[in-house]
Every structure is written in structure tokens, then in C-alpha cells.
Amino acid sequence: MASVLGKRLKEARLRIGLSQAQVGINAGMDQSVASTRINQYERDVHVPGFAVAEQLAKALKVPSAYFYAVDDQLAAWILAYAKIPASDRRTIMEEAGIAPRRL
Amino acid sequence: MASVLGKRLKEARLRIGLSQAQVGINAGMDQSVASTRINQYERDVHVPGFAVAEQLAKALKVPSAYFYAVDDQLAAWILAYAKIPASDRRTIMEEAGIAPRRL
DNA sequence: CAACTAAGACTCTCTTAGCGA
DNA sequence: TCGCTAAGAGAGTCTTAGTTG
């Protein structure tokens, strides 16, 4: 597999229930190229640059890092981040024994 | 900013304490190009493809998705994933009210 | 309408060959 | 040694123009 982005993009699109063209249009692409480009991304024919990936992430309501998670468990972990209230994240990380200050 | 990868790459490299050249070599690059390429990535002159990003992630012991986390809090969340024992992740997600099966 | 594909135009990365701290 | 840069060759994406289910 050239990249995981195609797989995650399709996952996220089907979850919301949009067509390939609609995702592209919602991400700001011209309707004349939207369908083709999303299809190329999902089938790993081409890989979008990060600026485009960010627009796709907004359109599909996932963090952009989700598209680059190779491990399915990590992908779910990243989705969890978006669903958990910000105030609870620190608590979870503290309970897990992670010091958030030291990156 | 063209991408966040440069920022995260430098963060992860300095944390481990390696030179730009060493990171490239550890990621499997020829020593004649390693220094130049890592420098170009860190300064956002160029952006590596995902296959290269995965090699960099291995060399720096972070999940590859870390390089694509725009939000600092999400970046820390992804690092936490790598530090938490696999058996504990499910517990944390269950406690947070996330159903891991439904992606 | 929705998913998909080939191929040329166009854009960007990777390598080479360097400079300066 | 380390960090950094310009520029051409080479590799990739994006657009156009379609086909198929």
C-alpha cells in the first residue's frame, strides 16, 4: 500500500454518507475535478498534499492526522480525541500516567 | 505554514538528540542525501511522501500520524498512544464512553 | 448519477554541488 | 561537523476527456 490515506478517506466518507464528488466539493474543489480527484485518492492512484488533506478533514469532520494512522487502533484513538470534551482529555492522560507538558 | 511535518520532525529529533544527517541515515537514506533532505523537511522547503514519513517515524520512535497533527494537544494524545500499554488503551476508551468497534 | 480511468500539462521532490557557523 | 541553500533532473499530481455500472 502506497499510503493509508485512501483507506481512511473512504472510511470517513462512507461514515458520513456522501458521494466522492460531494466530498471534493465540500472540501472546496471545483465540481469539474472533485469526483476524479477523490476517486484517485481513495484508490491510491495519487496522494493529496497536506493542505488538501486538511480541507478533506474539515469536510469529513475528522482530525487530519486520522488520514495518516496506519494502525486501526490508533485511527480509533485519534477519532476518540475529537469526540472527548477537551476538559476530559487531560484527566485521561493524567490517569494514564502521561505528562502532557513533556512532548 | 505549508505543513506541520517540519515542526513535528524537529521536535521529535531534538527529543532524541540526533543530528539531521543521523535521522536521515537511521531512516535508511544514503549519507550523501540524508542531511539535505531532513533539513528541507524541517524547514518546509519540501514535504516527504508517506513512505518516507513512515521511515522517519520508525527512526524517531513516534507513530507516523504524529507528523500530521496540527494541534499540539492532539500531537501529545498520539504520543500517549505509543506510551500506553495496548491492554490499557481499550479501558481508557471505554471509560471515556467511546465504542472502539464503530469507526 | 456514481464510480472509475488514461494521458498530457503542470508542479513538486530529490540529488548534486556547494556555502558559512 | 552541523545546519543550510540553489537549481536542474526526475517523479509526482491535477485537469481534461472520456467509459462503465
Side-chain angles (χ1 to χ4, degrees), chain B residues 5-63:
Chain B
L5 190 141
K7 181 182 172 183
R8 301 287 173 224
L9 178 56
K10 186 170 187 176
E11 268 176 16
R13 176 175 68 83
L14 295 179
R15 200 155 43 210
I16 290 199
L18 293 175
S19 68
Q20 293 176 340
Q22 264 307 318
V23 170
I25 290 165
N26 291 358
M29 294 174 192
D30 191 281
Q31 55 176 334
S32 65
V33 302
S35 169
T36 298
R37 285 175 65 183
I38 301 301
N39 190 309
Q40 288 168 338
Y41 300 154
E42 285 193 3
R43 304 191 71 77
D44 291 328
V45 176
H46 294 312
V47 179
F50 189 68
V52 171
E54 273 190 295
Q55 293 304 306
L56 294 171
K58 281 183 191 170
L60 296 170
K61 302 187 197 310
V62 294

Side-chain angles (χ1 to χ4, degrees), chain A residues 1-41:
Chain A
M1 192 180 299
S3 86
V4 281
L5 190 142
K7 182 181 171 183
R8 302 286 171 226
L9 178 56
K10 186 170 187 176
E11 268 175 16
R13 176 175 68 83
L14 295 179
R15 200 154 44 211
I16 290 198
L18 294 176
S19 69
Q20 293 176 341
Q22 264 308 319
V23 170
I25 289 164
N26 290 358
M29 295 175 192
D30 191 282
Q31 56 176 328
S32 65
V33 301
S35 169
T36 299
R37 285 177 63 184
I38 302 302
N39 191 327
Q40 288 167 338
Y41 300 154

